[in-house]
Amino acid sequence: MFRKVLVANRGEIAVRVMRACEELNVGTVAIYSEADKDGGHVRYADEAYNVGPARAADSYLDHDAVLEAAKKADVDAIHPGYGFLAENAAFARKVEEADGITWIGPSSESMETLGEKTKARTAMSAADVPIVPGTTDPVTDPDEVRSFGEEHGYPIAIKAEGGGGGRGMKVVEDESEVTDQLESAQREGEAYFDNDSVYLERYLESPRHIEVQIIADQHGNVRHLGERDCSLQRRHQKVIEEGPSPALDDDLRERIGEAARRGVKATDYVNAGTVEFLVEDGEFYFLEVNTRIQVEHCVTEEITGIDIVKWQLRVAAGEELAFEQDDVEIDGHAMEFRINAENAANDFAPATGGTLETYDPPGGVGVRVDDALRQGDELVTDYDSMIAKLIVWGGDRDECIARSIRALREYDIEGIETIIPFHRLMLTDETFVAGEHDTKYLDEELDRSRIEQAQEQWGTGATDAADDDEEVVEREFTVEVNGKRFEVELEERGAPALPTASNGSGAMASRPDAATGDAGGDVAIEGDGEVVDAEMQGTILSVEVEEGEEVAAGDVLVVLEAMKMENDIVASRGGEVTQIAVEEGDSVDMGDTLIVLE
C-alpha cells in the first residue's frame, strides 16, 4: 500500500478520498488555490501546498504546479478525484512517467481510448455493446450534419469529444439550426476541453439515464457493482441519483450490467469507472465511459457495502479484487441529493457569495453526508456550486424516500441559498415518487411555480454576516514556507480583534479577488441607453457584437459560461450597441454591466 497520497482536487471529494486513505493508514496531502486557502480539504489533510491563484487553469489544472507539490511532499501516488484533471490523459501520462509516483486511476492510454467519445463508441461496438446510431469519426462540415439528419431524422445531438454532463452538447431540432449549433458545440468543446472535435448521435426523446459502476484490477478481473439511475436532470446536469433504478426489470438490469462489464474488459481497463447508458422503450444504448470516480459513487457504496475509493487505492497498488461477481449483492435502496448553493426558484442561479451562518447536517440511521464545509466558513464561488452531498439508504425505495424527507427537513443551512427546498419538493412529486420521470422531466414538464412555492415555504435565504466586535484571546494563523502550509496558534491577552475576515477555524485571511480580467462591475456608463447586465457569475466566452452595430430583439450579444454551461445573453429589444464593457476571458459577477444599447 502507498505511504502518502496527494489528492489533486478540492472540497468534499478531496475529503472523501482522504478519509479512505486514513482508514488504510496512508498519509494525505492537499493542494489548494488562493481562493481555497481556508478550505475544508486543507484542514483535513496531513499536509497542504499552494498551487496558484483562484483561477483553476492557474492552480488545480496546472500540471507542473501539481506535480511540483507532489515532489515537495514526497508522495508515492496521486488521486485526482473527479473533475479538474481526473480525465486528463496528458496529466495522467506525466504522473505515470514521474519517478516513484503512481496514478490512481485508469491508464492514460485507456483514458484516451474511452475518454474520446468516437473512440469509445468504436470500442464498445466491437465488444457487442449496443450504441445509439451516430458517427464514429469527427464531424466538421454542416453538410455532414444535414446528411445525417436526412438518414436518421431530427432531432440530432452534436456532442463534443471531451464533453459530458451536457457540456459541449447541442441539439439540432431541424435543418435551419445546423450551422449555428455545430459552431456552438465546437466552441464549447474548445473552451471547456481544449478540443473542438464533435460527433453526431440520434437524439433520444424521452430516455432514462442509467449508469453501471465497474471496478477492474491489474490481474484481468472486472466486476460491476450494479446500476444507478441518474434520470432526474436539469439541463443535462444530474440533481438526484438513486440505485437500483426503478425503471429496470431484472432481465434488463442483468443485460446492462453484463454489457458494461464486457465492454470494459475488452478495452483492458483498470481501476474504477462508470459505463453510462440511455434506456428507452426497453432497449439500452451505450452513451459514454467516465474514466474516474463519479459524484454519485456513494449510492453504489451504500447498496453494496463496497468502499469504491479504497478499492481504487488497492487496485492501483497492485492488489487483486477480493470478491467475485456473484458476491456483489444489492441491499435496499439509496438516493443522493446534491446540496448545491443555488436558488432553484431563480432558474437554479448559483450563489455569488455568503457565509455559512448555520451549518447543521442531518444524522441518524441510513444517513450519510459527504462535505468539507463547516459552520462559519465563507462560500467559495470560483468553482462549482456543490457544497455537500446527502446520501440516504433505506430497506426499499419507499423507506428511502421517507427517510430522505426526514433528513432534508433536518438539514439546517443559513447564510446561503441551497436547493434543499427543491429536493423536498421532488420527494412529494407524484411522477418522481412513482419512478416515472425521464431526463426531460425537470426541463419540460415540471410546473416552475411549484419550485417557487417550495423555495418560499422551506428556503432560508441568504443573510448578511453579523458584525463581531468581541475580543479574541486565542487565534490561529496560516503561514506558507516554500509553498507548504503551516498552522500557527497564537494566544494574546487583552488584544483587540484583527481587522481581517475570519473563517470558521479561526484562521485569519482576506479572500483574494477571483476575477481574471476587468469585468463590467466598475464600468462608467456612457449615455442613457439600456444596460444589459450579467444574470449570473461566470466567464465571457465570446462577444458577438461590435460597437455601432444594430441588433434586433433576441439577437445574441454575449456568450457567458456559468456552471459549466454556455448561456446566450440576448437583447430584449432592438437598438444600437453603444458600449461594450467586457471582452473574451473576463470574469463577471451577477449584475455586472456587459453591453449598453440605445
Side-chain angles (χ1 to χ4, degrees), residues 364-382:
V365 175
V367 175
R368 166 180 169 180
V369 176
D370 279 20
D371 59 16
L373 293 174
R374 292 296 176 263
Q375 186 160 303
D377 281 0
E378 185 176 331
L379 183 66
V380 174
T381 59
D382 299 89

Side-chain angles (χ1 to χ4, degrees), residues 288-301:
E288 63 185 11
V289 176
N290 288 289
T291 56
R292 53 172 167 78
I293 196 75
Q294 283 195 265
V295 176
E296 58 272 20
H297 74 277
C298 317
V299 168
T300 299
E301 291 182 329

Side-chain angles (χ1 to χ4, degrees), residues 6 49 64 66-75 78 98-99 101:
L6 181 144
Y49 290 81
D64 294 337
V66 175
L67 285 170
E68 180 64 23
K71 292 173 183 176
K72 283 182 180 179
D74 189 28
V75 304
I78 293 177
D99 223 13
I101 302 179

Side-chain angles (χ1 to χ4, degrees), residues 341-396:
E342 299 172 359
N343 184 346
N346 185 25
D347 199 27
F348 291 82
T352 58
T355 301
L356 286 173
E357 299 300 321
T358 299
Y359 185 73
D360 188 8
V365 175
V367 175
R368 166 180 169 180
V369 176
D370 279 20
D371 59 16
L373 293 174
R374 292 296 176 263
Q375 186 160 303
D377 281 0
E378 185 176 331
L379 183 66
V380 174
T381 59
D382 299 89
Y383 312 107
D384 63 77
S385 65
M386 190 171 69
I387 60 175
K389 299 183 308 196
L390 170 65
I391 308 98
V392 180
W393 177 91
D396 55 28

Side-chain angles (χ1 to χ4, degrees), residues 7 10-20 40-41 44 371-372:
V7 183
R10 64 181 296 276
E12 57 82 23
I13 185 56
V15 173
R16 166 70 187 94
V17 174
M18 291 173 191
R19 284 173 170 155
H41 70 292
Y44 193 93
D371 59 16

